[in-house]
Every structure is written in C-alpha cells, then in structure tokens.
Amino acid sequence: MLEINNLTKKFGAVEVLKGITFSLNKGEIVAVIGSSGSGKSTLLRCINFLEKADSGEIIVDGEIIYKTGDVIGNDAEMREKRLHFGLVFQAFNLFPQLSILKNITLALDVADKARCKKKQISKVELSIASEKNKQQGMKILEEVGLTEKIDAYPFQLSGGQQQRVAIARALALSPDILCFDEPTSALDPELTGEVLRVIKGLKSPDNTMIIVTHEMEFAKNVADKIIFMSEGIIEEIGTPKEIFENPQSEKTKNFLKQYFNKH
Amino acid sequence: MEQFFDVTIILLQGFWTNILIFALTLLISIPLGLVVTFGSMSKFKPLAYLSKILVWIVRGTPLMLQIFIIYYIPGFLGIPASSQLTSVIIAFAVNYAFYFSEIYRGGIEGVPKGQYEAGMVLGMTKPQIFKNIILLQVAKKIVPSMSNEVITLVKDTSLASVIGLTEIIKSSTQLMSSPGILYPLFYSGIFFLVFNGIVTLGLNKIEKKFSYYN
C-alpha cells in the first residue's frame, strides 16, 4: 500500500530526516514514537507534502507520487497526490468561522463547485453533490459520536470534541492513508481517552494509519507495527511486542525506560 | 428663520460632496488595498519591494500634498488635467488603499499557519483556501482598525477644499465672509458628528456580525 524509500529532509544545515525507509500494508496501523526533535512530525509533513522532501521516494499502491528531484507540480496534480493522505494535526486546526458540519464538507463542496465552474458537472448535479456531501458529513459525525454538534462552532466544543471533528474532516475525503500528528498532545489528560477511542475504532482492514504519538500504552494496544525514531533515522522497527518487551537498540531501551519511569 | 433654512441647504449641498468622496473612496480603496497587499506579500521580490516603497511614500507624505500633485502636475506635463472631484477621489482612493493594505497584511499574517495547512491537506488550492478559509477570518480581525480609518476618512474629506472644491467646510467659511455669520462653522461640525454617528452604528453592526464565533 505505502512504501517510503530513503526519504531525506534538511532544514538549512540540520538533517532532520536522514533516510527513512519503511512500508505499510493495507489495514495496518503503524505508530511512530521517539523523543521530540527525532523527525517524527517532519516525516508526516513530508508524506503529506506540507514539506518537500529533499530526496527519496513515496509510493502509494505502486504509483510513485514523489521521487528525488520532483518539483511541486501544479495545483491539480498536487491535489491528486495529497488526497492519498489525510492528516490530523496536533492543534486540530478547525476552521473557526464554520459550523462543525461545514468544517467537514467544505473541501468536498469547494471541489464540486470548482468542477461546476469548469462545466464538468451541471448546476443540478452540483446541488445533488452538495446534498450528498452533507449526508456523508453527518454520517461521519455519527461515527465519531458528535451528531448533536453539527450546527455548533468549534469554539463551543471541548478539545477532545474538536479533535474528533478534525478526524471526521480528514475521513470525509476517504484518504488511502490517514496520518495523525500527536493527536492528543494538545489535550488535557482527561480528554485524551475519547480521541484515542475514536482512533482505535477506525481500525479495520480498510483503514491504513500512521500515528505519531507519545501515548505508549495506546501504541502498544492499537498498532501493528512500531517505529522508533531517533535523530532522523529509524532506530528500530518491529511489532509492539518486539519493541516494548524486547527492544534491541540501546537508544530504544533508554527512551522506553525514561518514558515508563515518568508515567 | 429663513436664513437658517438657506444655510442648511447650502451646507447640505456642500456635505453632499463630502459624502460622495467618502463613498467613492471606500468603494475603490477597499478592493484596491487588497491588490496592494498581494503585491507587498508577493514571493516575487521586486514586486514586494516596489509595493513596500510605494506604501512608504504614500503613507509618509501628507494627503494634502498628494491632492495637489494629482490635480496640478498633469497640466504641467501636457496631460489633460482631471476635474477637481476626480483628482480628489484618485488621491483619496490611492492614499486609503495603501493604508488599508497594511491593515490587510497584518490581518492575513495574523491567521495561523495551521489554517492554510489544514486547507492544503484537504486538497484545496491556494486561491480556494484564501477565499473559503482565510478571508472571513481576516475580515473579523481587521474590523476595529478599519473602523478607525473609515471614521478618519469622513473627516478627511474636507481636505478637498484645498483645490477649490466646494465641500461643507468651504461652504461654511464662505458664509462666514458673506453674509458674515459664524454659526455655520459649528453647524457643519454637527453634520460630521451626525454622519459619523451613523457610520459608527453601521460599523458596530458589522463587528457584531462577526461575533458569532471566536
């Protein structure tokens, strides 16, 4: 489903990613762990084209969507590539001026409107599409348990609810691979549970996910694969059992020891 | 009493010019300011520098001087001069557009980067993100500073008299010399107070419109 080959990224003189290689099968969940500054978030941002990797390859379903030397193409190409992925941000980044439902349907509506403008669909088809988007939005909100909030605005929701909306918003575009960038790090401890439950509930043979997280218990319970990153490389990769119960690298051992001492 | 009625008519006629300058200036400078903003925020450096230099010149020199230059210079260069009203409106519209552009720029830069990124990962193009996500957030942010400028504009319109345009203050000074009455000066002040009162109510309404979210 997803192959990342030798991905590198520098910010100025700092090498943030020093050649990341891993692959992911459909329906698999990989949790990326590691201390701050290890390059976890940058990896996700490169995969989602928020940063342009310096070299390497990103392959989705056999299609090369990024390779060394690629320049960021025009908007339409970029859109195609981006839509293979969804990204849930640490800070939710909901659109404050839009209702919850509209937050979820905006991207779909905008794309349909653009199609109508280009005469690819008629006005009638546009209104059918917009109704369909609404139905789909409501269905997804039901999945994350927020049906009663469709008309509310983001500021009226708790952090946990906002993050559930953000997850729904990403799901609405049916990405092949859904990425989470520390989805619970901005939340009060008592609110992390509801978000983690929603993510766990997404586990299915169809949903492929990459989750950057500091929640080790969660990673252990939900992920099929754990990647431990340190200083821009994958220090160790394996099943949760391998990584948590029998880590091989000294760095992994230290990281886990420190983590479990604190928690 | 009859005199008071006549004075009112004369001042109203003068004030009509002020209102016209006010309305046309806003109509032109609000969109024109956005164009200047895009220029000064452009990734094409020469354009960004040019815009910034223009912002510096237009904001750094008196509006009165700008009115004189636009009205008198074309004639010296052999270009047909514009009418007084046209010259004043060009000067005002350009001047206010550059002020507005800086307010817009502040507003746009104040929208968190995450809003753009959220739009991008949802597959939206940059113009779509700007129109559907950013613009309204900017509008909300800039209403208070825009309100200040708009109220200043109402009062600035009296500068039109410097090239001989008959606006309300010129009318009242003319009344002062003949028939030699003073109260039109205070009376014209009341015109400004009332008009600015109405403008303020309108601006408050706009501000309230944006208060449905935080």
Side-chain angles (χ1 to χ4, degrees), chain B residues 8-29 85 88-89 92-93 150-161 165-169 171 188 190-199:
Chain B
T8 305
I9 295 295
I10 291 170
L11 292 187
L12 262 179
Q13 281 169 345
F15 201 56
W16 172 245
T17 305
N18 299 75
I19 292 176
L20 203 64
I21 297 167
F22 170 76
L24 289 172
T25 300
L26 280 188
L27 204 68
I28 301 168
S29 60
L85 186 64
V88 163
I89 286 167
F92 270 81
V150 169
I151 286 167
T152 305
L153 170 62
V154 172
K155 295 173 288 178
D156 273 358
T157 54
S158 58
L159 271 175
S161 63
L165 210 58
T166 311
E167 51 69 60
I168 190 166
I169 291 185
S171 305
S188 65
I190 290 171
F191 275 79
F192 281 102
L193 281 178
V194 171
F195 189 73
N196 257 334
I198 296 167
V199 168

Short mmCIF file of all heavy atoms in Angstrom, two decimals, chain B residues 8-29 85 88-89 92-93 150-161 165-169 171 188 190-199:
data_model
loop_
_atom_site.label_atom_id
_atom_site.label_comp_id
_atom_site.label_asym_id
_atom_site.label_seq_id
_atom_site.Cartn_x
_atom_site.Cartn_y
_atom_site.Cartn_z
N THR B 8 -28.88 75.86 5.82
CA THR B 8 -28.98 74.40 5.84
C THR B 8 -28.84 73.83 4.44
O THR B 8 -28.10 72.86 4.22
CB THR B 8 -30.33 73.96 6.46
OG1 THR B 8 -30.46 74.57 7.74
CG2 THR B 8 -30.40 72.45 6.60
N ILE B 9 -29.53 74.44 3.48
CA ILE B 9 -29.47 73.96 2.10
C ILE B 9 -28.04 74.07 1.56
O ILE B 9 -27.51 73.13 0.98
CB ILE B 9 -30.43 74.77 1.19
CG1 ILE B 9 -31.89 74.53 1.61
CG2 ILE B 9 -30.24 74.39 -0.28
CD1 ILE B 9 -32.39 73.13 1.42
N ILE B 10 -27.41 75.20 1.81
CA ILE B 10 -26.03 75.40 1.32
C ILE B 10 -25.08 74.37 1.92
O ILE B 10 -24.26 73.76 1.24
CB ILE B 10 -25.55 76.84 1.64
CG1 ILE B 10 -26.33 77.84 0.79
CG2 ILE B 10 -24.04 76.99 1.40
CD1 ILE B 10 -26.12 79.29 1.17
N LEU B 11 -25.22 74.17 3.24
CA LEU B 11 -24.33 73.19 3.89
C LEU B 11 -24.62 71.77 3.40
O LEU B 11 -23.70 70.97 3.21
CB LEU B 11 -24.47 73.28 5.41
CG LEU B 11 -23.94 74.56 6.07
CD1 LEU B 11 -23.98 74.43 7.59
CD2 LEU B 11 -22.53 74.89 5.60
N LEU B 12 -25.90 71.46 3.20
CA LEU B 12 -26.26 70.13 2.70
C LEU B 12 -25.63 69.89 1.33
O LEU B 12 -25.08 68.82 1.07
CB LEU B 12 -27.79 70.00 2.60
CG LEU B 12 -28.48 69.30 3.76
CD1 LEU B 12 -29.99 69.28 3.52
CD2 LEU B 12 -27.96 67.88 3.95
N GLN B 13 -25.71 70.93 0.49
CA GLN B 13 -25.10 70.80 -0.84
C GLN B 13 -23.60 70.57 -0.72
O GLN B 13 -23.03 69.72 -1.40
CB GLN B 13 -25.36 72.07 -1.67
CG GLN B 13 -26.75 72.09 -2.26
CD GLN B 13 -27.11 73.45 -2.85
OE1 GLN B 13 -26.44 74.45 -2.57
NE2 GLN B 13 -28.15 73.49 -3.65
N GLY B 14 -22.97 71.31 0.20
CA GLY B 14 -21.54 71.10 0.43
C GLY B 14 -21.26 69.70 0.94
O GLY B 14 -20.34 69.02 0.47
N PHE B 15 -22.10 69.27 1.88
CA PHE B 15 -21.85 67.97 2.51
C PHE B 15 -22.05 66.82 1.53
O PHE B 15 -21.45 65.75 1.69
CB PHE B 15 -22.75 67.79 3.74
CG PHE B 15 -22.22 66.76 4.70
CD1 PHE B 15 -20.93 66.87 5.22
CD2 PHE B 15 -22.99 65.68 5.09
CE1 PHE B 15 -20.43 65.92 6.10
CE2 PHE B 15 -22.50 64.72 5.97
CZ PHE B 15 -21.22 64.84 6.48
N TRP B 16 -22.90 67.05 0.54
CA TRP B 16 -23.09 66.02 -0.49
C TRP B 16 -21.75 65.67 -1.14
O TRP B 16 -21.46 64.48 -1.38
CB TRP B 16 -24.11 66.48 -1.52
CG TRP B 16 -24.20 65.56 -2.70
CD1 TRP B 16 -23.88 65.84 -3.99
CD2 TRP B 16 -24.63 64.19 -2.68
NE1 TRP B 16 -24.06 64.74 -4.77
CE2 TRP B 16 -24.52 63.70 -4.00
CE3 TRP B 16 -25.06 63.33 -1.66
CZ2 TRP B 16 -24.85 62.38 -4.35
CZ3 TRP B 16 -25.40 62.02 -2.00
CH2 TRP B 16 -25.29 61.55 -3.33
N THR B 17 -20.92 66.69 -1.38
CA THR B 17 -19.58 66.44 -1.94
C THR B 17 -18.75 65.57 -0.99
O THR B 17 -18.09 64.62 -1.42
CB THR B 17 -18.85 67.78 -2.17
OG1 THR B 17 -19.69 68.60 -2.98
CG2 THR B 17 -17.52 67.58 -2.86
N ASN B 18 -18.82 65.88 0.30
CA ASN B 18 -18.08 65.07 1.28
C ASN B 18 -18.53 63.60 1.24
O ASN B 18 -17.71 62.69 1.28
CB ASN B 18 -18.29 65.62 2.70
CG ASN B 18 -17.78 67.03 2.84
OD1 ASN B 18 -18.41 67.97 2.36
ND2 ASN B 18 -16.63 67.19 3.47
N ILE B 19 -19.85 63.42 1.17
CA ILE B 19 -20.38 62.05 1.17
C ILE B 19 -19.95 61.32 -0.09
O ILE B 19 -19.58 60.14 -0.05
CB ILE B 19 -21.92 62.07 1.31
CG1 ILE B 19 -22.31 62.56 2.71
CG2 ILE B 19 -22.50 60.69 1.07
CD1 ILE B 19 -23.80 62.71 2.91
N LEU B 20 -19.97 62.05 -1.21
CA LEU B 20 -19.58 61.44 -2.47
C LEU B 20 -18.12 60.98 -2.42
O LEU B 20 -17.78 59.86 -2.82
CB LEU B 20 -19.77 62.48 -3.58
CG LEU B 20 -19.95 61.94 -4.99
CD1 LEU B 20 -21.22 61.13 -5.08
CD2 LEU B 20 -19.99 63.11 -5.99
N ILE B 21 -17.25 61.85 -1.92
CA ILE B 21 -15.83 61.50 -1.81
C ILE B 21 -15.67 60.29 -0.88
O ILE B 21 -14.96 59.34 -1.18
CB ILE B 21 -15.00 62.69 -1.27
CG1 ILE B 21 -15.06 63.85 -2.26
CG2 ILE B 21 -13.55 62.28 -1.02
CD1 ILE B 21 -14.55 65.16 -1.70
N PHE B 22 -16.39 60.35 0.23
CA PHE B 22 -16.33 59.25 1.22
C PHE B 22 -16.72 57.91 0.58
O PHE B 22 -15.98 56.93 0.64
CB PHE B 22 -17.27 59.59 2.38
CG PHE B 22 -17.50 58.47 3.35
CD1 PHE B 22 -16.52 58.15 4.29
CD2 PHE B 22 -18.68 57.74 3.34
CE1 PHE B 22 -16.72 57.11 5.19
CE2 PHE B 22 -18.89 56.71 4.25
CZ PHE B 22 -17.91 56.40 5.17
N ALA B 23 -17.87 57.91 -0.08
CA ALA B 23 -18.40 56.64 -0.62
C ALA B 23 -17.51 56.10 -1.74
O ALA B 23 -17.15 54.92 -1.75
CB ALA B 23 -19.83 56.85 -1.12
N LEU B 24 -17.13 56.98 -2.67
CA LEU B 24 -16.32 56.52 -3.79
C LEU B 24 -14.93 56.07 -3.33
O LEU B 24 -14.38 55.08 -3.83
CB LEU B 24 -16.21 57.61 -4.86
CG LEU B 24 -17.52 57.85 -5.64
CD1 LEU B 24 -17.39 59.06 -6.55
CD2 LEU B 24 -17.90 56.61 -6.44
N THR B 25 -14.38 56.78 -2.36
CA THR B 25 -13.06 56.37 -1.84
C THR B 25 -13.12 54.97 -1.26
O THR B 25 -12.29 54.12 -1.56
CB THR B 25 -12.59 57.37 -0.75
OG1 THR B 25 -12.49 58.65 -1.33
CG2 THR B 25 -11.25 56.95 -0.18
N LEU B 26 -14.15 54.70 -0.45
CA LEU B 26 -14.27 53.36 0.14
C LEU B 26 -14.45 52.32 -0.94
O LEU B 26 -13.82 51.26 -0.93
CB LEU B 26 -15.45 53.31 1.11
CG LEU B 26 -15.24 53.88 2.50
CD1 LEU B 26 -16.44 53.55 3.38
CD2 LEU B 26 -13.96 53.34 3.14
N LEU B 27 -15.33 52.62 -1.88
CA LEU B 27 -15.66 51.67 -2.94
C LEU B 27 -14.41 51.25 -3.72
O LEU B 27 -14.25 50.09 -4.09
CB LEU B 27 -16.67 52.33 -3.89
CG LEU B 27 -17.55 51.38 -4.69
CD1 LEU B 27 -18.51 50.66 -3.76
CD2 LEU B 27 -18.33 52.16 -5.75
N ILE B 28 -13.53 52.21 -3.95
CA ILE B 28 -12.32 51.90 -4.73
C ILE B 28 -11.20 51.37 -3.84
O ILE B 28 -10.53 50.40 -4.17
CB ILE B 28 -11.82 53.16 -5.48
CG1 ILE B 28 -12.92 53.68 -6.42
CG2 ILE B 28 -10.55 52.84 -6.28
CD1 ILE B 28 -12.65 55.07 -6.98
N SER B 29 -11.00 52.00 -2.68
CA SER B 29 -9.79 51.68 -1.92
C SER B 29 -9.88 50.33 -1.21
O SER B 29 -8.85 49.69 -0.99
CB SER B 29 -9.50 52.78 -0.91
OG SER B 29 -10.58 52.91 -0.01
N LEU B 85 -13.03 67.03 -8.68
CA LEU B 85 -13.60 65.90 -7.96
C LEU B 85 -12.85 64.61 -8.29
O LEU B 85 -12.50 63.84 -7.39
CB LEU B 85 -15.10 65.76 -8.29
CG LEU B 85 -15.83 64.70 -7.47
CD1 LEU B 85 -15.84 65.06 -5.98
CD2 LEU B 85 -17.26 64.50 -7.97
N VAL B 88 -9.46 64.57 -6.59
CA VAL B 88 -9.59 64.31 -5.15
C VAL B 88 -9.87 62.83 -4.90
O VAL B 88 -9.27 62.21 -4.01
CB VAL B 88 -10.70 65.20 -4.55
CG1 VAL B 88 -11.14 64.66 -3.19
CG2 VAL B 88 -10.23 66.63 -4.43
N ILE B 89 -10.76 62.26 -5.70
CA ILE B 89 -11.12 60.86 -5.47
C ILE B 89 -9.93 59.95 -5.78
O ILE B 89 -9.67 58.98 -5.05
CB ILE B 89 -12.38 60.49 -6.27
CG1 ILE B 89 -13.58 61.13 -5.58
CG2 ILE B 89 -12.56 58.98 -6.33
CD1 ILE B 89 -14.83 61.12 -6.38
N PHE B 92 -7.55 60.35 -2.76
CA PHE B 92 -8.09 59.68 -1.57
C PHE B 92 -8.06 58.16 -1.72
O PHE B 92 -7.66 57.45 -0.80
CB PHE B 92 -9.54 60.12 -1.33
CG PHE B 92 -9.66 61.33 -0.44
CD1 PHE B 92 -9.46 62.59 -0.94
CD2 PHE B 92 -9.96 61.18 0.90
CE1 PHE B 92 -9.57 63.71 -0.13
CE2 PHE B 92 -10.08 62.28 1.74
CZ PHE B 92 -9.88 63.55 1.22
N ALA B 93 -8.50 57.68 -2.89
CA ALA B 93 -8.60 56.22 -3.08
C ALA B 93 -7.22 55.58 -2.97
O ALA B 93 -7.06 54.56 -2.31
CB ALA B 93 -9.25 55.90 -4.42
N VAL B 150 -12.05 54.45 8.63
CA VAL B 150 -13.27 54.92 7.97
C VAL B 150 -13.75 56.22 8.61
O VAL B 150 -14.15 57.17 7.93
CB VAL B 150 -14.36 53.82 8.01
CG1 VAL B 150 -15.70 54.38 7.59
CG2 VAL B 150 -13.97 52.65 7.11
N ILE B 151 -13.67 56.28 9.94
CA ILE B 151 -14.12 57.49 10.63
C ILE B 151 -13.18 58.66 10.34
O ILE B 151 -13.61 59.80 10.14
CB ILE B 151 -14.25 57.21 12.15
CG1 ILE B 151 -15.51 56.36 12.36
CG2 ILE B 151 -14.34 58.50 12.95
CD1 ILE B 151 -15.63 55.74 13.71
N THR B 152 -11.89 58.37 10.24
CA THR B 152 -10.93 59.40 9.85
C THR B 152 -11.23 59.90 8.45
O THR B 152 -11.15 61.10 8.16
CB THR B 152 -9.49 58.84 9.91
OG1 THR B 152 -9.26 58.31 11.19
CG2 THR B 152 -8.46 59.92 9.62
N LEU B 153 -11.61 58.96 7.57
CA LEU B 153 -11.90 59.33 6.18
C LEU B 153 -13.05 60.34 6.11
O LEU B 153 -12.98 61.32 5.35
CB LEU B 153 -12.25 58.08 5.35
CG LEU B 153 -12.80 58.32 3.95
CD1 LEU B 153 -11.78 59.06 3.09
CD2 LEU B 153 -13.17 57.00 3.27
N VAL B 154 -14.08 60.12 6.93
CA VAL B 154 -15.22 61.05 6.92
C VAL B 154 -14.71 62.48 7.14
O VAL B 154 -15.09 63.41 6.42
CB VAL B 154 -16.24 60.67 8.02
CG1 VAL B 154 -17.31 61.74 8.14
CG2 VAL B 154 -16.86 59.31 7.73
N LYS B 155 -13.80 62.64 8.10
CA LYS B 155 -13.31 63.98 8.42
C LYS B 155 -12.32 64.48 7.37
O LYS B 155 -12.29 65.66 7.03
CB LYS B 155 -12.67 63.96 9.81
CG LYS B 155 -13.70 63.67 10.90
CD LYS B 155 -13.07 63.48 12.26
CE LYS B 155 -12.33 62.16 12.33
NZ LYS B 155 -11.65 61.97 13.62
N ASP B 156 -11.50 63.55 6.84
CA ASP B 156 -10.50 63.93 5.82
C ASP B 156 -11.14 64.51 4.55
O ASP B 156 -10.48 65.28 3.84
CB ASP B 156 -9.66 62.71 5.41
CG ASP B 156 -8.47 62.52 6.34
OD1 ASP B 156 -8.31 63.36 7.25
OD2 ASP B 156 -7.72 61.55 6.15
N THR B 157 -12.38 64.14 4.28
CA THR B 157 -12.99 64.59 3.02
C THR B 157 -12.97 66.11 2.89
O THR B 157 -13.01 66.64 1.79
CB THR B 157 -14.45 64.10 2.88
OG1 THR B 157 -15.16 64.51 4.04
CG2 THR B 157 -14.52 62.59 2.74
N SER B 158 -12.89 66.81 4.01
CA SER B 158 -12.90 68.27 3.95
C SER B 158 -11.62 68.83 3.30
O SER B 158 -11.58 69.97 2.87
CB SER B 158 -13.07 68.86 5.35
OG SER B 158 -12.03 68.41 6.18
N LEU B 159 -10.58 67.97 3.20
CA LEU B 159 -9.35 68.39 2.52
C LEU B 159 -9.58 68.72 1.05
O LEU B 159 -8.76 69.38 0.42
CB LEU B 159 -8.30 67.28 2.62
CG LEU B 159 -7.38 67.27 3.83
CD1 LEU B 159 -6.50 66.03 3.79
CD2 LEU B 159 -6.51 68.52 3.82
N ALA B 160 -10.70 68.26 0.52
CA ALA B 160 -11.00 68.50 -0.89
C ALA B 160 -11.03 69.99 -1.21
O ALA B 160 -10.81 70.41 -2.35
CB ALA B 160 -12.33 67.86 -1.27
N SER B 161 -11.26 70.81 -0.18
CA SER B 161 -11.37 72.25 -0.40
C SER B 161 -10.04 72.87 -0.85
O SER B 161 -10.02 73.95 -1.43
CB SER B 161 -11.86 72.94 0.87
OG SER B 161 -10.91 72.73 1.89
N LEU B 165 -12.59 72.74 -4.30
CA LEU B 165 -13.86 72.03 -4.36
C LEU B 165 -14.77 72.52 -3.23
O LEU B 165 -14.33 72.67 -2.09
CB LEU B 165 -13.59 70.53 -4.21
CG LEU B 165 -14.54 69.56 -4.89
CD1 LEU B 165 -14.60 69.83 -6.40
CD2 LEU B 165 -14.10 68.13 -4.64
N THR B 166 -16.02 72.77 -3.55
CA THR B 166 -16.92 73.30 -2.54
C THR B 166 -17.52 72.16 -1.71
O THR B 166 -18.50 71.55 -2.09
CB THR B 166 -18.05 74.11 -3.18
OG1 THR B 166 -17.47 75.03 -4.08
CG2 THR B 166 -18.85 74.85 -2.11
N GLU B 167 -16.87 71.89 -0.60
CA GLU B 167 -17.43 70.92 0.34
C GLU B 167 -17.91 71.71 1.55
O GLU B 167 -17.82 72.95 1.57
CB GLU B 167 -16.43 69.80 0.64
CG GLU B 167 -15.04 70.23 1.05
CD GLU B 167 -15.04 70.87 2.40
OE1 GLU B 167 -15.44 70.22 3.39
OE2 GLU B 167 -14.65 72.06 2.45
N ILE B 168 -18.39 71.02 2.55
CA ILE B 168 -19.14 71.70 3.61
C ILE B 168 -18.33 72.76 4.37
O ILE B 168 -18.86 73.84 4.69
CB ILE B 168 -19.78 70.67 4.58
CG1 ILE B 168 -20.76 71.38 5.53
CG2 ILE B 168 -18.73 69.91 5.35
CD1 ILE B 168 -21.67 70.44 6.29
N ILE B 169 -17.05 72.50 4.63
CA ILE B 169 -16.30 73.48 5.42
C ILE B 169 -16.01 74.73 4.59
O ILE B 169 -16.09 75.86 5.09
CB ILE B 169 -15.02 72.86 6.00
CG1 ILE B 169 -15.45 71.83 7.05
CG2 ILE B 169 -14.11 73.92 6.62
CD1 ILE B 169 -14.36 71.19 7.82
N SER B 171 -18.00 75.77 2.27
CA SER B 171 -19.29 76.47 2.26
C SER B 171 -19.46 77.31 3.52
O SER B 171 -19.89 78.47 3.46
CB SER B 171 -20.45 75.47 2.19
OG SER B 171 -20.31 74.64 1.08
N SER B 188 -21.65 72.99 10.64
CA SER B 188 -21.03 71.98 9.79
C SER B 188 -20.41 70.86 10.64
O SER B 188 -20.40 69.69 10.25
CB SER B 188 -19.98 72.61 8.88
OG SER B 188 -18.92 73.13 9.64
N ILE B 190 -21.71 69.71 13.26
CA ILE B 190 -22.81 68.81 13.61
C ILE B 190 -23.09 67.82 12.47
O ILE B 190 -23.35 66.65 12.70
CB ILE B 190 -24.07 69.63 13.98
CG1 ILE B 190 -23.80 70.32 15.33
CG2 ILE B 190 -25.30 68.75 14.08
CD1 ILE B 190 -24.85 71.33 15.73
N PHE B 191 -22.97 68.30 11.25
CA PHE B 191 -23.12 67.38 10.10
C PHE B 191 -22.15 66.20 10.24
O PHE B 191 -22.53 65.05 10.06
CB PHE B 191 -22.84 68.11 8.77
CG PHE B 191 -24.03 68.84 8.22
CD1 PHE B 191 -24.42 70.06 8.72
CD2 PHE B 191 -24.77 68.27 7.17
CE1 PHE B 191 -25.51 70.72 8.20
CE2 PHE B 191 -25.87 68.93 6.65
CZ PHE B 191 -26.24 70.16 7.16
N PHE B 192 -20.88 66.55 10.54
CA PHE B 192 -19.88 65.49 10.67
C PHE B 192 -20.22 64.55 11.82
O PHE B 192 -20.12 63.33 11.71
CB PHE B 192 -18.48 66.09 10.89
CG PHE B 192 -17.85 66.59 9.62
CD1 PHE B 192 -17.83 67.94 9.31
CD2 PHE B 192 -17.29 65.69 8.72
CE1 PHE B 192 -17.24 68.39 8.13
CE2 PHE B 192 -16.70 66.14 7.55
CZ PHE B 192 -16.68 67.49 7.25
N LEU B 193 -20.64 65.16 12.96
CA LEU B 193 -20.96 64.34 14.13
C LEU B 193 -22.08 63.36 13.84
O LEU B 193 -22.00 62.17 14.15
CB LEU B 193 -21.35 65.23 15.31
CG LEU B 193 -20.20 65.89 16.06
CD1 LEU B 193 -20.74 66.79 17.17
CD2 LEU B 193 -19.28 64.83 16.66
N VAL B 194 -23.13 63.87 13.20
CA VAL B 194 -24.28 63.01 12.91
C VAL B 194 -23.87 61.90 11.93
O VAL B 194 -24.15 60.72 12.14
CB VAL B 194 -25.46 63.84 12.35
CG1 VAL B 194 -26.57 62.92 11.83
CG2 VAL B 194 -26.00 64.77 13.42
N PHE B 195 -23.16 62.33 10.87
CA PHE B 195 -22.79 61.33 9.87
C PHE B 195 -21.87 60.27 10.47
O PHE B 195 -22.06 59.07 10.26
CB PHE B 195 -22.11 62.01 8.68
CG PHE B 195 -21.90 61.09 7.51
CD1 PHE B 195 -22.97 60.68 6.73
CD2 PHE B 195 -20.63 60.61 7.20
CE1 PHE B 195 -22.78 59.81 5.67
CE2 PHE B 195 -20.44 59.75 6.13
CZ PHE B 195 -21.52 59.34 5.36
N ASN B 196 -20.90 60.70 11.26
CA ASN B 196 -20.01 59.73 11.89
C ASN B 196 -20.76 58.84 12.88
O ASN B 196 -20.41 57.68 13.08
CB ASN B 196 -18.83 60.42 12.59
CG ASN B 196 -17.57 60.30 11.76
OD1 ASN B 196 -17.44 59.35 10.98
ND2 ASN B 196 -16.64 61.23 11.90
N GLY B 197 -21.79 59.40 13.51
CA GLY B 197 -22.62 58.58 14.39
C GLY B 197 -23.27 57.45 13.63
O GLY B 197 -23.24 56.28 14.06
N ILE B 198 -23.81 57.79 12.46
CA ILE B 198 -24.47 56.76 11.64
C ILE B 198 -23.44 55.72 11.16
O ILE B 198 -23.67 54.52 11.25
CB ILE B 198 -25.16 57.42 10.42
CG1 ILE B 198 -26.28 58.35 10.90
CG2 ILE B 198 -25.72 56.36 9.47
CD1 ILE B 198 -26.82 59.28 9.81
N VAL B 199 -22.27 56.23 10.72
CA VAL B 199 -21.21 55.32 10.26
C VAL B 199 -20.80 54.38 11.39
O VAL B 199 -20.64 53.17 11.19
CB VAL B 199 -20.00 56.12 9.74
CG1 VAL B 199 -18.78 55.23 9.53
CG2 VAL B 199 -20.35 56.83 8.43
#
